[in-house]
Amino acid sequence: MIKRIPVSALKVGMYISDLNNDWIPHNTQRRRGVIKRDETIEKIRKMGVQFVYIDVQKGIDSQDSETAAEVDARNDAALQKAGEQTPGVAPKVSLSEEMIIAMGVHSQAQELVSSFMSSAKMGAPVDVAPIHKLADELQNSVSRNANALGCLGRIREKDNYLLEHSVNLSVLMTLFGQYRQLPADVMHQTVVGALLHDLGKILTPDDVLHKPGRLSPEEFEVMKLHARHSRDILSATEGIGELTVITAAQHHERIDGSGYPEGLKGEEISVYGRMVAITDVYDAITADRVYHKGMTPTQGLKKLLEWSGSHLDAALVKQFIRCIGLYPVGSLVLLDSGRLGVVVEINEEDQRLPVVRVMYHTKFRMPITVTTIDLSKSGNQDRILRSVDPDDYQIDVRKFLS
């Protein structure tokens, strides 16, 4: 049985099944195994981890614990409550119409960010005007129909993570900013900051940046420097606003002070830093990486709630959930008819009734004709029972998003 315990209850002889520290970026540390030394417990404590999961069938138990099922049930209840309010801006155009435009913007965004980083790495003069124009195009696409770029954000390749993550982060920050009704200039600067938040990685040695295995403590310290590098490069770049610098510099800061580069706490972190920290963690933990199997969108939202208050701003996490929906675009859901469907559009009136693309029947265990269904339409009796893991049914959701 898997249980969650506070780090203060950890003892030698316990078997850790999950360090529960995916909020730590570039987390490649070993996550499973028996604790054999007190020094290991101290290292875990120094990470800022507050709760870990143990397997009591493989190691000793703890009285100060609750089952993983109980934790998940509580997180699910919190997720449902956080999603009670309606999501953000209603689409102005159809998904099919915006998808054509969004595909061009998404492709252009990756190319432009790559070009910008390459120029900066070579020390060549950089022109920020195209980045500003791109930020406007991303915001305009999200304003017309956020589901289009949302779909494209789920069609990703783990070998292209750096660029796709930067683009996805800018899309999520646009959604978040629109939901919070940020002033146009403020939102523009934060979106540019999201696009360029990892710019400092041009100064990270390739053997560290692209290492497929576990980073050593020394390598992790080198990796952490990229946030400071991003801040310094952007501060010295003409045409970059102050809020852009702040957004990029603070995307790894954490409420409890366990983040970097400055170890800021609580209100010491700007609201934009706290926003981008949430979007950065969410996109990172739901992405497949060389060393990391991504969570489902719903699992990712539950983890944001679990880490709220300690590592992430609790009030902002709830707002983020409301703006991307209980079942974010790309979620695979089980309907009460037994069919599986991929969410392709959220419902701005009722988050429980998105548009889904069904393709598989669990009762017959076989693929079915792909059909797009709006669960909010009258006469449609199907309802979502729960979100499911695509791996359980060997379904590649990317095939049904474009």
Side-chain angles (χ1 to χ4, degrees):
M1 176 182 289
I2 306 298
K3 295 184 177 182
R4 192 183 80 155
I5 65 170
V7 170
S8 59
L10 268 178
K11 296 179 180 178
V12 172
M14 289 183 173
Y15 184 97
I16 292 183
S17 63
D18 183 0
L19 276 175
N20 194 33
N21 65 342
D22 286 307
W23 49 267
I24 299 177
H26 315 294
N27 173 32
T28 61
Q29 297 168 359
R30 185 181 179 187
R31 305 180 189 187
R32 297 175 180 269
V34 176
I35 297 178
K36 299 178 180 179
R37 298 182 299 275
D38 288 328
E39 290 81 357
T40 302
I41 298 175
E42 184 58 28
K43 287 180 180 179
I44 295 173
R45 186 178 292 111
K46 287 182 177 179
M47 291 181 198
V49 176
Q50 296 192 0
F51 293 89
V52 299
Y53 288 84
I54 62 172
D55 189 335
V56 300
Q57 293 178 313
K58 297 181 179 180
I60 64 175
D61 201 346
S62 171
Q63 293 182 338
D64 190 5
S65 66
E66 57 184 333
T67 67
E70 291 171 334
V71 176
D72 185 69
R74 186 171 63 251
N75 288 337
D76 189 64
L79 177 61
Q80 296 298 322
K81 186 172 179 59
E84 286 177 355
Q85 297 187 22
T86 57
V89 182
K92 299 175 182 177
V93 301
S94 69
L95 175 61
S96 58
E97 182 180 351
E98 186 58 34
M99 184 65 77
I100 298 173
I101 301 173
M103 289 177 71
V105 174
H106 193 268
S107 177
Q108 177 194 2
Q110 292 190 58
E111 293 176 2
L112 187 55
V113 172
S114 176
S115 175
F116 191 94
M117 294 180 76
S118 295
S119 296
K121 187 172 185 177
M122 292 186 294
V126 291
D127 183 6
V128 299
I131 291 290
H132 286 302
K133 182 181 178 182
L134 172 62
D136 288 338
E137 291 177 354
L138 286 166
Q139 292 176 74
N140 290 337
S141 179
V142 170
S143 178
R144 290 190 296 267
N145 192 320
N147 299 293
L149 281 171
C151 285
L152 295 175
R154 298 303 303 169
I155 306 173
R156 55 202 302 172
E157 300 294 335
K158 61 184 178 183
D159 292 333
N160 197 33
Y161 172 79
L162 182 60
L163 293 179
E164 291 181 339
H165 175 58
S166 295
V167 177
N168 288 349
L169 198 60
S170 66
V171 173
L172 291 173
M173 281 297 285
T174 299
L175 278 168
F176 208 174
Q178 285 188 353
Y179 179 83
R180 302 194 71 243
Q181 299 182 325
L182 297 182
D185 179 60
V186 170
M187 188 159 73
H188 176 87
Q189 289 195 56
T190 60
V191 172
V192 173
L195 275 169
L196 301 177
H197 76 289
D198 273 341
L199 179 61
K201 287 183 177 178
I202 64 174
L203 299 178
T204 303
D206 285 343
D207 59 339
V208 174
L209 183 62
H210 301 297
K211 184 177 180 179
R214 191 158 51 103
L215 295 179
S216 68
E218 294 76 21
E219 290 170 332
F220 185 51
E221 290 302 315
V222 172
M223 178 68 83
K224 287 166 62 175
L225 292 175
H226 81 272
R228 182 172 283 115
H229 293 326
S230 292
R231 179 196 65 194
D232 294 344
I233 294 171
L234 291 173
S235 295
T237 301
E238 186 176 352
I240 292 295
E242 180 183 2
L243 293 185
T244 292
V245 178
I246 290 174
T247 302
Q250 296 184 352
H251 71 282
H252 286 317
E253 299 288 358
R254 298 292 179 260
I255 294 296
D256 59 357
S258 63
Y260 60 85
E262 305 299 334
L264 301 177
K265 295 182 179 180
E267 297 295 325
E268 294 175 349
I269 310 170
S270 74
V271 65
Y272 314 111
R274 283 175 273 148
M275 287 172 64
V276 76
I278 293 167
T279 56
D280 180 71
V281 169
Y282 173 76
D283 190 67
I285 64 179
T286 55
D288 287 337
R289 309 282 292 277
V290 174
Y291 54 81
H292 178 278
K293 176 68 176 69
M295 301 178 188
T296 68
T298 298
Q299 288 172 333
L301 294 181
K302 289 181 182 180
K303 278 300 181 182
L304 294 186
L305 288 165
E306 185 173 346
W307 298 327
S308 291
S310 52
H311 309 302
L312 304 172
D313 186 299
L316 288 176
V317 164
K318 293 176 181 177
Q319 290 183 19
F320 177 68
I321 291 171
R322 289 167 188 155
C323 81
I324 68 170
L326 286 174
Y327 306 104
V329 170
S331 301
L332 183 67
V333 294
L334 173 65
L335 306 180
D336 53 17
S337 64
R339 295 181 293 179
L340 295 179
V342 178
V343 175
V344 294
E345 293 187 72
I346 61 173
N347 182 345
E348 68 275 8
E349 298 296 332
D350 189 337
Q351 296 194 19
R352 299 167 299 176
L353 303 173
V355 177
V356 298
R357 197 160 286 156
V358 297
M359 83 302 288
Y360 188 88
H361 207 301
T362 59
K363 293 180 181 178
F364 303 112
R365 298 183 180 181
M366 62 181 293
I368 56 176
T369 301
V370 178
T371 308
T372 301
I373 301 173
D374 186 342
L375 297 180
S376 69
K377 294 297 184 182
S378 59
N380 192 337
Q381 302 301 314
D382 245 338
R383 291 295 182 268
I384 294 176
L385 292 179
R386 63 181 182 275
S387 175
V388 297
D389 191 332
D391 286 350
D392 291 344
Y393 298 91
Q394 298 182 332
I395 291 175
D396 185 353
V397 298
R398 297 175 299 178
K399 295 180 179 179
F400 305 97
L401 288 172
S402 60

